[in-house]
Amino acid sequence: MSPGVQTRSYGQRARNAKNPAAKTLLDTMERKKTNLAVSVDVTKSEDLLAIIDAVGPYVCLIKTHIDIVEDFDSTLIAKLQNLERKHDFIYFEDRKFADIGNTVALQYSSGVYKIASWSHITNAHVVPGPSIIKGLASIGLPLGRGLLLLAEMSTAGSLATGSYTEAAVELARQNQDFVIGFIAQRRMEGLGAGPEEASDEDFLILTPGIGLESQGDSMGQQYRTPRTAVLESGSDIIIVGRGIYGSDPKAIDAISGKARRYMEEGWKAYVERLV
Ligand code: S5P
């Protein structure tokens, strides 16, 4: 584990970032003073846009599952991009690619959603091995996109542990131009590496399974607080979904109030970590 990364500011890390999506994200975090990503998992485009508009001032990143939107049409993308400009954040389509290189390249670039054309960041499981990164990079790298690998999951009984997690870190290490970090529950630098390899590593750690009021759901999700994730586990970005919009996706004032609260909690923990 390299001790330096967690105590370096987002702004300092932005200056060293080689991947454009990672750099933009870190710069946005520093500028807006937020390490909050909101995961907007709703099925109507009207709700999706209203929630993004409500939480926009408080986030560095909006995470989407575009394939759950029932009334999707291509005009939605332009509307999402208007909100990106209005509020100064970037998009992360949580596609969790998991196929051979040729197939994921098509899934990323084509079809109805054309993910690579609008989403700055996406993610992939490492089950297929290095070919999945090669396939996604063939589309994403020329566009300046970044990839996160799922090194761990938040769910009870997750199989992404031990040598699987270490293998994910090794794959990231070999593809640092495109792989910008991990979906994980703790820091990953140095995992499975000698001290030399670990010394200049800087991977973004994005952590889902965050909630202030709940311990989990009925389907295996497990929640920790922003403070635990950022201060104790060294996470860089907290991903919050139902903790913000869960009780009523139409209660826009309550949603923006909750986003502000998560932003404040996340930032406070980060500032404490720096000193
Ligand atoms: O390990 C994971 C990885 C991800 S990307 N656990 C997760 O929960 N996620 C995603 O984060 C999940 O797909 C969902 O979109 C979000 C968590 O939502 P919440 O409502 O439980 O906060």
mmCIF file of all heavy atoms in Angstrom, residues 3 11 18 33-34 37 60 90 92 99 113-114 119 121 139 150 169 173 249 255 267 273:
data_model
loop_
_atom_site.group_PDB
_atom_site.id
_atom_site.type_symbol
_atom_site.label_atom_id
_atom_site.label_comp_id
_atom_site.label_asym_id
_atom_site.label_seq_id
_atom_site.Cartn_x
_atom_site.Cartn_y
_atom_site.Cartn_z
ATOM 1 N N PRO A 3 1.407 4.854 0.963
ATOM 2 C CA PRO A 3 0.749 5.721 1.928
ATOM 3 C C PRO A 3 0.447 7.108 1.361
ATOM 4 O O PRO A 3 -0.444 7.800 1.823
ATOM 5 C CB PRO A 3 1.750 5.802 3.093
ATOM 6 C CG PRO A 3 3.071 5.459 2.490
ATOM 7 C CD PRO A 3 2.828 4.647 1.274
ATOM 8 N N GLY A 11 -6.655 17.860 -6.117
ATOM 9 C CA GLY A 11 -6.044 18.782 -7.076
ATOM 10 C C GLY A 11 -4.624 18.371 -7.444
ATOM 11 O O GLY A 11 -4.239 18.391 -8.607
ATOM 12 N N LYS A 18 -2.765 11.021 -15.984
ATOM 13 C CA LYS A 18 -2.447 10.936 -17.409
ATOM 14 C C LYS A 18 -3.704 10.769 -18.246
ATOM 15 O O LYS A 18 -3.780 11.229 -19.375
ATOM 16 C CB LYS A 18 -1.469 9.793 -17.655
ATOM 17 C CG LYS A 18 -0.079 10.147 -17.155
ATOM 18 C CD LYS A 18 0.883 8.964 -17.166
ATOM 19 C CE LYS A 18 2.018 9.179 -16.200
ATOM 20 N NZ LYS A 18 1.696 8.771 -14.827
ATOM 21 N N LYS A 33 -15.496 20.999 -4.603
ATOM 22 C CA LYS A 33 -15.349 20.483 -3.239
ATOM 23 C C LYS A 33 -16.377 19.403 -2.937
ATOM 24 O O LYS A 33 -17.162 19.494 -1.991
ATOM 25 C CB LYS A 33 -15.431 21.625 -2.210
ATOM 26 C CG LYS A 33 -14.389 22.690 -2.427
ATOM 27 C CD LYS A 33 -14.022 23.384 -1.147
ATOM 28 C CE LYS A 33 -12.885 24.382 -1.313
ATOM 29 N NZ LYS A 33 -11.842 24.002 -2.273
ATOM 30 N N THR A 34 -16.351 18.388 -3.778
ATOM 31 C CA THR A 34 -17.255 17.260 -3.553
ATOM 32 C C THR A 34 -16.624 15.959 -4.022
ATOM 33 O O THR A 34 -15.991 15.920 -5.075
ATOM 34 C CB THR A 34 -18.611 17.467 -4.264
ATOM 35 O OG1 THR A 34 -19.399 16.279 -4.103
ATOM 36 C CG2 THR A 34 -18.483 17.773 -5.744
ATOM 37 N N ALA A 37 -20.691 10.940 -5.759
ATOM 38 C CA ALA A 37 -21.295 10.519 -7.027
ATOM 39 C C ALA A 37 -22.691 10.022 -6.688
ATOM 40 O O ALA A 37 -22.864 9.266 -5.735
ATOM 41 C CB ALA A 37 -20.494 9.388 -7.656
ATOM 42 N N CYS A 60 -19.653 15.384 -8.243
ATOM 43 C CA CYS A 60 -18.593 15.429 -9.248
ATOM 44 C C CYS A 60 -18.939 14.500 -10.411
ATOM 45 O O CYS A 60 -18.410 14.637 -11.510
ATOM 46 C CB CYS A 60 -17.257 15.019 -8.632
ATOM 47 S SG CYS A 60 -17.274 13.407 -7.814
ATOM 48 N N ILE A 90 -19.330 15.004 -14.536
ATOM 49 C CA ILE A 90 -19.206 14.099 -15.685
ATOM 50 C C ILE A 90 -20.026 12.821 -15.441
ATOM 51 O O ILE A 90 -20.504 12.590 -14.328
ATOM 52 C CB ILE A 90 -17.735 13.788 -16.058
ATOM 53 C CG1 ILE A 90 -16.997 13.055 -14.938
ATOM 54 C CG2 ILE A 90 -17.006 15.066 -16.451
ATOM 55 C CD1 ILE A 90 -15.599 12.578 -15.364
ATOM 56 N N PHE A 92 -20.765 8.590 -15.582
ATOM 57 C CA PHE A 92 -20.221 7.232 -15.438
ATOM 58 C C PHE A 92 -21.368 6.259 -15.712
ATOM 59 O O PHE A 92 -22.268 6.115 -14.892
ATOM 60 C CB PHE A 92 -19.667 7.069 -14.021
ATOM 61 C CG PHE A 92 -19.432 5.661 -13.518
ATOM 62 C CD1 PHE A 92 -19.263 4.576 -14.378
ATOM 63 C CD2 PHE A 92 -19.340 5.417 -12.153
ATOM 64 C CE1 PHE A 92 -19.045 3.288 -13.899
ATOM 65 C CE2 PHE A 92 -19.118 4.135 -11.651
ATOM 66 C CZ PHE A 92 -18.983 3.065 -12.536
ATOM 67 N N ASP A 99 -17.686 -9.286 -21.380
ATOM 68 C CA ASP A 99 -17.630 -10.236 -22.500
ATOM 69 C C ASP A 99 -16.262 -10.172 -23.206
ATOM 70 O O ASP A 99 -15.349 -9.487 -22.751
ATOM 71 C CB ASP A 99 -18.785 -9.930 -23.462
ATOM 72 C CG ASP A 99 -19.336 -11.176 -24.134
ATOM 73 O OD1 ASP A 99 -18.536 -12.064 -24.497
ATOM 74 O OD2 ASP A 99 -20.558 -11.261 -24.308
ATOM 75 N N TYR A 113 -27.581 2.763 -27.228
ATOM 76 C CA TYR A 113 -27.088 3.711 -26.207
ATOM 77 C C TYR A 113 -25.786 4.429 -26.555
ATOM 78 O O TYR A 113 -25.506 5.470 -25.983
ATOM 79 C CB TYR A 113 -26.930 2.979 -24.861
ATOM 80 C CG TYR A 113 -28.221 2.350 -24.398
ATOM 81 C CD1 TYR A 113 -28.345 0.971 -24.227
ATOM 82 C CD2 TYR A 113 -29.340 3.143 -24.166
ATOM 83 C CE1 TYR A 113 -29.529 0.402 -23.819
ATOM 84 C CE2 TYR A 113 -30.540 2.577 -23.762
ATOM 85 C CZ TYR A 113 -30.629 1.202 -23.587
ATOM 86 O OH TYR A 113 -31.809 0.643 -23.200
ATOM 87 N N LYS A 114 -24.978 3.851 -27.452
ATOM 88 C CA LYS A 114 -23.715 4.499 -27.871
ATOM 89 C C LYS A 114 -22.976 5.102 -26.669
ATOM 90 O O LYS A 114 -22.623 6.296 -26.623
ATOM 91 C CB LYS A 114 -23.979 5.576 -28.915
ATOM 92 C CG LYS A 114 -24.652 5.000 -30.168
ATOM 93 C CD LYS A 114 -24.958 6.059 -31.185
ATOM 94 C CE LYS A 114 -25.627 5.509 -32.435
ATOM 95 N NZ LYS A 114 -26.591 4.409 -32.274
ATOM 96 N N SER A 119 -20.555 8.967 -22.225
ATOM 97 C CA SER A 119 -20.163 8.628 -20.855
ATOM 98 C C SER A 119 -18.640 8.671 -20.716
ATOM 99 O O SER A 119 -17.927 7.929 -21.397
ATOM 100 C CB SER A 119 -20.687 7.241 -20.484
ATOM 101 O OG SER A 119 -20.349 6.961 -19.144
ATOM 102 N N ILE A 121 -16.793 7.824 -18.250
ATOM 103 C CA ILE A 121 -16.226 6.684 -17.527
ATOM 104 C C ILE A 121 -17.194 5.517 -17.638
ATOM 105 O O ILE A 121 -18.415 5.708 -17.624
ATOM 106 C CB ILE A 121 -16.019 7.082 -16.036
ATOM 107 C CG1 ILE A 121 -14.930 8.170 -15.925
ATOM 108 C CG2 ILE A 121 -15.671 5.883 -15.168
ATOM 109 C CD1 ILE A 121 -14.813 8.780 -14.539
ATOM 110 N N ILE A 139 -12.065 1.540 -28.312
ATOM 111 C CA ILE A 139 -13.104 2.561 -28.508
ATOM 112 C C ILE A 139 -12.851 3.773 -27.609
ATOM 113 O O ILE A 139 -12.940 4.927 -28.034
ATOM 114 C CB ILE A 139 -14.503 1.973 -28.156
ATOM 115 C CG1 ILE A 139 -14.799 0.725 -28.992
ATOM 116 C CG2 ILE A 139 -15.590 3.046 -28.306
ATOM 117 C CD1 ILE A 139 -14.869 0.950 -30.480
ATOM 118 N N LEU A 150 -13.984 -3.665 -11.731
ATOM 119 C CA LEU A 150 -14.661 -4.099 -10.501
ATOM 120 C C LEU A 150 -13.730 -5.052 -9.766
ATOM 121 O O LEU A 150 -13.639 -6.239 -10.090
ATOM 122 C CB LEU A 150 -15.999 -4.764 -10.834
ATOM 123 C CG LEU A 150 -17.094 -3.743 -11.184
ATOM 124 C CD1 LEU A 150 -17.667 -4.009 -12.541
ATOM 125 C CD2 LEU A 150 -18.153 -3.693 -10.114
ATOM 126 N N VAL A 169 -6.134 -5.780 -9.929
ATOM 127 C CA VAL A 169 -5.157 -4.703 -9.721
ATOM 128 C C VAL A 169 -3.991 -4.865 -10.700
ATOM 129 O O VAL A 169 -3.512 -3.900 -11.301
ATOM 130 C CB VAL A 169 -4.668 -4.677 -8.254
ATOM 131 C CG1 VAL A 169 -3.596 -3.605 -8.056
ATOM 132 C CG2 VAL A 169 -5.841 -4.431 -7.303
ATOM 133 N N ARG A 173 -2.706 -2.203 -13.493
ATOM 134 C CA ARG A 173 -1.302 -1.791 -13.513
ATOM 135 C C ARG A 173 -0.723 -1.875 -14.929
ATOM 136 O O ARG A 173 0.077 -1.041 -15.350
ATOM 137 C CB ARG A 173 -0.555 -2.762 -12.597
ATOM 138 C CG ARG A 173 0.684 -2.258 -11.993
ATOM 139 C CD ARG A 173 1.144 -3.203 -10.892
ATOM 140 N NE ARG A 173 0.617 -2.857 -9.596
ATOM 141 C CZ ARG A 173 0.227 -3.732 -8.656
ATOM 142 N NH1 ARG A 173 0.282 -5.034 -8.873
ATOM 143 N NH2 ARG A 173 -0.226 -3.315 -7.512
ATOM 144 N N PRO A 249 -38.748 9.301 -5.266
ATOM 145 C CA PRO A 249 -37.995 9.924 -6.362
ATOM 146 C C PRO A 249 -38.601 11.236 -6.853
ATOM 147 O O PRO A 249 -37.983 11.950 -7.636
ATOM 148 C CB PRO A 249 -38.016 8.865 -7.473
ATOM 149 C CG PRO A 249 -38.554 7.626 -6.869
ATOM 150 C CD PRO A 249 -39.291 7.980 -5.607
ATOM 151 N N ILE A 255 -34.551 15.474 -1.926
ATOM 152 C CA ILE A 255 -33.426 14.838 -2.625
ATOM 153 C C ILE A 255 -32.221 15.781 -2.660
ATOM 154 O O ILE A 255 -31.089 15.370 -2.367
ATOM 155 C CB ILE A 255 -33.860 14.409 -4.050
ATOM 156 C CG1 ILE A 255 -34.806 13.211 -3.937
ATOM 157 C CG2 ILE A 255 -32.658 14.089 -4.929
ATOM 158 C CD1 ILE A 255 -35.491 12.828 -5.229
ATOM 159 N N TRP A 267 -16.963 15.129 2.138
ATOM 160 C CA TRP A 267 -15.866 16.097 2.055
ATOM 161 C C TRP A 267 -15.168 16.261 3.404
ATOM 162 O O TRP A 267 -13.937 16.341 3.482
ATOM 163 C CB TRP A 267 -16.387 17.452 1.545
ATOM 164 C CG TRP A 267 -15.255 18.341 1.124
ATOM 165 C CD1 TRP A 267 -14.723 19.374 1.831
ATOM 166 C CD2 TRP A 267 -14.481 18.236 -0.081
ATOM 167 N NE1 TRP A 267 -13.670 19.937 1.135
ATOM 168 C CE2 TRP A 267 -13.505 19.260 -0.032
ATOM 169 C CE3 TRP A 267 -14.527 17.387 -1.192
ATOM 170 C CZ2 TRP A 267 -12.577 19.451 -1.062
ATOM 171 C CZ3 TRP A 267 -13.602 17.579 -2.204
ATOM 172 C CH2 TRP A 267 -12.646 18.596 -2.141
ATOM 173 N N ARG A 273 -8.745 13.303 6.342
ATOM 174 C CA ARG A 273 -7.762 12.332 5.875
ATOM 175 C C ARG A 273 -6.477 13.021 5.404
ATOM 176 O O ARG A 273 -5.389 12.448 5.487
ATOM 177 C CB ARG A 273 -8.400 11.570 4.707
ATOM 178 C CG ARG A 273 -7.565 10.492 4.103
ATOM 179 C CD ARG A 273 -8.404 9.734 3.105
ATOM 180 N NE ARG A 273 -8.125 10.120 1.738
ATOM 181 C CZ ARG A 273 -8.782 9.660 0.691
ATOM 182 N NH1 ARG A 273 -9.800 8.837 0.855
ATOM 183 N NH2 ARG A 273 -8.463 10.031 -0.526
#
